[in-house]
Amino acid sequence: VQLQASGGGLVQAGGSLRLSCAASGRTFSTYVMGWFRQAPGKERECVAAITWRGGTTYYRDSVKGRFTISRDNRENTVYLEMNSLKPEDTAVYFCAASGRFTVLVREYDYWGQGTLVTVSS
């Protein structure tokens, strides 16, 4: 599956952005989808993940209550709605696909190209 992330940009603290990740192919619904981020000098970390039909989600503690992951299997797209953004959310955000519900980078098989989110204070 090929993934194309979009929606990043520059936003002031407290603002919102919606990231999208479009997937090619007919097997999108067979993958767990995750959003990851990587800030300069830091390791890539899982921000959120969603199971095949969206029944279960994961959020890292620092984004709980602010970010929402969702998916539309008819449109082969996964979203990350980000509200109340903070400067520490600044990073390159990646979408990824895995065959299992996991937060581990190494267990995701397919990756999008990344989209930069910059939150100014």
Side-chain angles (χ1 to χ4, degrees), residues 24-42:
S24 64
R26 299 182 178 180
T27 60
F28 177 73
S29 62
T30 66
Y31 290 99
V32 168
M33 297 301 298
W35 282 100
F36 292 75
R37 67 185 180 189
Q38 188 165 19
K42 295 188 176 182

Side-chain angles (χ1 to χ4, degrees), residues 1 37 58 62 103 106:
V1 62
R37 67 185 180 189
Y58 158 84
S62 59
V103 303
R106 66 176 182 269

Side-chain angles (χ1 to χ4, degrees), residues 28-78:
F28 177 73
S29 62
T30 66
Y31 290 99
V32 168
M33 297 301 298
W35 282 100
F36 292 75
R37 67 185 180 189
Q38 188 165 19
K42 295 188 176 182
E43 293 186 351
R44 192 170 297 190
E45 61 187 18
C46 185
V47 174
I50 188 166
T51 52
W52 302 266
R53 295 185 180 183
T56 301
T57 56
Y58 158 84
Y59 298 96
R60 71 180 302 104
D61 287 346
S62 59
V63 307
K64 284 181 180 177
R66 301 189 298 121
F67 290 12
T68 302
I69 188 171
S70 62
R71 66 190 296 164
D72 185 339
N73 287 343
R74 294 170 300 177
E75 298 294 330
N76 284 5
T77 303
V78 61

Side-chain angles (χ1 to χ4, degrees), residues 10-15 85-90 118-121:
L10 174 64
V11 64
Q12 289 188 330
L85 282 161
K86 304 176 181 180
E88 51 264 42
D89 295 319
T90 295
T118 304
V119 184
S120 63
S121 57

